[in-house]
């Protein structure tokens, strides 16, 4: 019988807080990185671009894994049907309202200078007629912007719900027991995460290479279920604590290898035919790099962040509104700051400090308003928190199974 996780896991809330603030910093870096984003500064920085590229490899993966961990606690306090309806409301409401209010705003800022109130109001009328919507999930960014994460998470959580329910059954608990034994062995945690990711990416990425396309959705679904499994038994957490040094060494080695091969041109995926040895090696290394960094941050959380403090209390509720609000705040502020006659680094600092500070203030407004709490997927009244619902802030009880 699997021993279900029953104690408070403050580190999950801590990681929620860290990851959403890190994503805000990532978005600020995109303003100054090579390539195109919603708003770009004329002068670019390879340092900030490198930081954005580094965090891109594991940041979203960690978000989906934490969301899967939250599902374990959500299913403890309600059945599958109530869980599904709760998920639709708590992700669907901020998604729909965010699309209606925030997407036209960001679209206007992306394509118009100077910013004018009249033009912005007209864009709310014309926005939807100008967006090509296709069956490809990769097209969602054109009208969702950062809210694509909510739509993908909603779909993944509903599609994988039967698997999550099965994993809580007697047969599923038997499987988890066997996975615990694998995780306890040297290299076991590496195998549990990197292998399924690599299989999915090698199988699908050649046919669906675009970001947020079916290959990525399949990989994020795997990570979501891995998160569900890892939180289901405290022995996984103990394995994470024991293997922290290995995770750091593996993460560093994978990043160095990935950088060497990328700079040498040996492994970029588009440089090799579909399913060739070069393509397969690229996808395997990319998956390994993603997983070892995810595993390392899980180790940091489980080992060093498992205490009740202001960060974990903030992380219990505020990551959802912070994620939803920070992106448009950054976009609007950057649209003004990039035009200032100052250097790149002062602009970067100004946007970072102002956007994070303003978003925190807005989140405090959400915290104090019953109506806004519901809009952002929170309970109308703050409840005593449990171990946390990463990115999806329900407060499930922790009574034994």
């Amino acid at each position: 019988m699997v021993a279900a996780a029953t104690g408070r896991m403050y580190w999950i809330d801590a990681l929620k807080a860290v990851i959403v603030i890190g994503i805000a910093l990532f978005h600020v870096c995109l303003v100054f990185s090579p390539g195109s984003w919603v708003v770009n500064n004329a002068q670019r920085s390879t340092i900030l671009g490198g930081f954005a590229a580094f965090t891109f490899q594991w940041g979203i993966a960690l978000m989906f894994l934490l969301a899967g961990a939250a599902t374990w606690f959500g299913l403890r306090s309600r059945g599958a049907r109530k869980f599904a309806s709760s998920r639709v409301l708590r992700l669907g409401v901020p998604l729909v309202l965010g699309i209606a209010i925030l997407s036209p705003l960001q679209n206007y800022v992306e394509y118009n200078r100077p910013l004018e109130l009249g033009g912005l109001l007209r864009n709310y009328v014309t926005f939807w007629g100008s967006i090509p919507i296709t069956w490809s999930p990769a097209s969602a960014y054109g009208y969702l912007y950062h809210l694509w994460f909510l739509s993908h998470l909603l779909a993944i959580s509903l599609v994988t719900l039967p698997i999550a329910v099965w994993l809580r059954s007697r047969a599923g608990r038997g499987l988890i027991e066997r996975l615990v034994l694998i995780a306890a062995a040297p290299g076991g945690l590496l195998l549990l995460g990197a292998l399924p990711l690599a299989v999915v990416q090698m199988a699908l990425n050649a046919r669906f290479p675009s970001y947020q396309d079916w290959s990525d959705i399949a990989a994020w679904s795997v990570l979501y279920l891995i998160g569900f499994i890892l939180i289901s038994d405290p022995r996984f957490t103990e394995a994470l604590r024991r293997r922290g040094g290995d995770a750091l060494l593996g993460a560093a080695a994978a990043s160095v290898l990935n950088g060497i091969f990328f700079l040498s041109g040996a492994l970029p995926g588009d440089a090799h035919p579909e399913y060739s040895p070069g393509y397969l090696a690229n996808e395997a290394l990319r998956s390994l790099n993603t997983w070892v960094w995810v595993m390392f941050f899980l180790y940091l959380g489980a080992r060093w962040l498992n205490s009740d403090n202001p960060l974990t209390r903030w992380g219990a509720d505020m990551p959802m509104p912070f994620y939803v609000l920070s992106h448009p705040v950054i976009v609007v502020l950057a649209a003004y700051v990039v035009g200032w006659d100052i250097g790149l680094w002062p602009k970067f600092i100004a946007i970072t400090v102002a956007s994070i500070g303003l978003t925190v203030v807005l989140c405090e407004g959400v915290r104090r308003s019953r109506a806004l709490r519901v809009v952002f997927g929170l309970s109308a009244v703050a409840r005593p928190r449990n171990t946390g619902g990463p990115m999806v802030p329900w407060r499930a009880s922790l009574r034994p199974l």
Side-chain angles (χ1 to χ4, degrees):
M1 181 69 67
V2 172
T6 57
R8 286 179 179 254
M9 295 184 180
Y10 297 109
W11 62 275
I12 296 180
D13 286 335
L15 285 180
K16 285 193 302 175
V18 170
I19 195 67
V20 294
I21 294 172
I23 286 172
L25 181 60
F26 166 78
H27 287 143
V28 176
C29 288
L30 292 182
V31 176
F32 304 95
S33 299
S36 178
W37 193 59
V38 184
V39 178
N40 288 114
N41 190 56
Q43 183 185 1
R44 309 299 177 89
S45 167
T46 55
I47 295 175
L48 294 178
F51 176 81
F54 165 66
T55 55
F56 176 77
Q57 299 173 66
W58 50 264
I60 292 296
L62 183 56
M63 288 172 65
F64 277 104
L65 186 142
L66 292 175
T71 300
W72 173 267
F73 298 105
L75 286 176
R76 287 180 69 109
S77 61
R78 55 178 70 91
R81 182 175 299 179
K82 289 185 178 179
F83 171 82
S85 61
S86 173
R87 181 55 64 94
V88 170
L89 288 175
R90 300 198 174 203
L91 284 174
V93 170
L95 174 62
V96 171
L97 293 179
I99 294 171
I101 298 171
L102 300 179
S103 290
L105 167 64
Q106 295 179 103
N107 175 262
Y108 178 77
V109 174
E110 182 175 8
Y111 295 107
N112 294 275
R113 300 288 192 282
L115 304 180
E116 298 177 350
L117 179 60
L120 173 60
L121 294 177
R122 286 192 296 272
N123 199 57
Y124 275 91
V125 178
T126 61
F127 172 70
W128 290 106
S130 64
I131 299 299
I133 300 177
T134 70
W135 287 107
S136 170
S139 68
Y141 187 83
Y143 52 94
L144 295 182
Y145 289 88
H146 66 302
L147 298 173
W148 70 265
F149 175 75
L150 302 187
S151 68
H152 286 42
L153 178 57
L154 176 58
I156 288 172
S157 62
L158 295 179
V159 170
T160 60
L161 183 56
I163 301 175
V165 171
W166 178 82
L167 286 169
R168 292 181 60 83
S169 69
R170 183 177 297 275
R173 291 196 296 269
L175 172 62
I176 291 175
E177 186 70 30
R178 290 190 289 273
L179 295 178
V180 166
L181 298 177
I182 295 174
L189 281 173
L190 190 66
L191 179 68
L192 287 180
L195 181 60
L197 274 182
V199 169
V200 166
Q201 295 286 46
M202 287 189 291
L204 297 177
N205 203 50
R207 301 300 171 88
F208 306 102
S210 298
Y211 181 52
Q212 301 174 24
D213 212 335
W214 294 112
S215 175
D216 283 335
I217 290 176
W220 292 330
S221 300
V222 168
L223 286 160
Y224 180 90
L225 289 171
I226 291 174
F228 184 93
I229 291 170
L230 288 182
I231 213 66
S232 67
D233 192 298
R235 288 173 290 179
F236 287 118
T237 303
E238 290 305 314
L240 279 171
R241 291 194 179 105
R242 290 196 307 270
R243 304 296 179 188
D246 297 341
L248 177 58
L249 290 175
S255 289
V256 170
L257 285 174
N258 193 59
I260 290 173
F261 286 126
F262 180 79
L263 292 175
S264 67
L267 284 184
D270 57 2
H272 300 274
E274 293 183 359
Y275 305 112
S276 66
Y279 162 81
L280 296 176
N282 177 73
E283 298 306 319
L285 181 58
R286 193 162 63 90
S287 300
L288 175 64
N289 189 58
T290 295
W291 176 248
V292 290
W293 279 107
V294 167
M295 192 168 71
F296 173 65
F297 281 98
L298 291 175
Y299 159 74
L300 286 182
R303 178 66 179 83
W304 301 105
L305 301 177
N306 196 31
S307 63
D308 189 10
N309 56 58
L311 178 68
T312 57
R313 287 191 288 272
W314 187 87
D317 278 334
M318 289 298 102
M320 172 69 85
F322 188 93
Y323 177 82
V324 172
L325 294 171
S326 63
H327 193 279
V329 167
I330 292 168
V331 167
V332 173
L333 286 175
Y336 287 100
V337 174
V338 295
W340 293 357
D341 188 18
I342 58 176
L344 181 151
W345 289 104
K347 292 179 183 178
F348 171 76
I349 294 171
I351 296 173
T352 300
V353 173
S355 61
I356 292 179
L358 178 56
T359 306
V360 168
V361 171
L362 293 174
C363 287
E364 285 304 305
V366 172
R367 185 199 298 275
R368 289 165 168 76
S369 168
R370 290 192 176 192
L372 289 178
R373 288 182 66 88
V374 173
V375 165
F376 283 94
L378 309 176
S379 60
V381 178
R383 301 172 183 171
R385 68 192 179 93
N386 66 354
T387 59
M391 303 306 302
V392 188
W394 60 72
R395 305 271 70 83
S397 76
L398 294 178
R399 60 179 180 271
L401 288 172

